[in-house]
Amino acid sequence: MEIQRVFEVPKSQSTQGRDKDVEMMARSFYRLLRKNGYTQNQVISVAGYILDGLIREFETDASSDVQQPEDQPQMLQSVI
């Protein structure tokens, strides 16, 4: 499948190489959407859904990092 080939990225690449791949992947995804008849507004909506997913993932990760073990009391923070 063409889409699967576009999104395969070797895990052994350097950070700089992966950054280039990410850019290429984003451009390819954009071109694929436009080629298949998606309007600019629909492409923006797709990008918004991707960002929403990332935000939810970050919020979930952040809330799991903040949670205190049950045996430790939570401290109150005061505003100065």
Side-chain angles (χ1 to χ4, degrees), residues 1-65:
M1 188 166 156
E2 181 182 335
I3 293 174
Q4 187 176 12
R5 233 179 335 117
V6 169
F7 293 111
E8 289 178 2
V9 179
K11 295 183 186 274
S12 63
Q13 288 186 336
S14 68
T15 302
Q16 185 178 8
R18 288 187 73 98
D19 288 345
K20 284 285 189 190
D21 286 341
V22 168
E23 180 182 350
M24 185 173 58
M25 187 182 335
R27 289 175 188 258
S28 296
F29 186 51
Y30 172 78
R31 283 194 300 269
L32 181 68
L33 291 172
R34 295 294 286 161
K35 179 181 170 185
N36 285 288
Y38 288 84
T39 65
Q40 288 179 342
N41 286 339
Q42 289 171 322
V43 172
I44 291 169
S45 291
V46 168
Y49 287 123
I50 292 170
L51 291 173
D52 285 343
L54 284 170
I55 290 168
R56 278 193 298 273
E57 187 175 327
F58 288 143
E59 288 173 346
T60 301
D61 290 348
S63 67
S64 66
D65 290 345

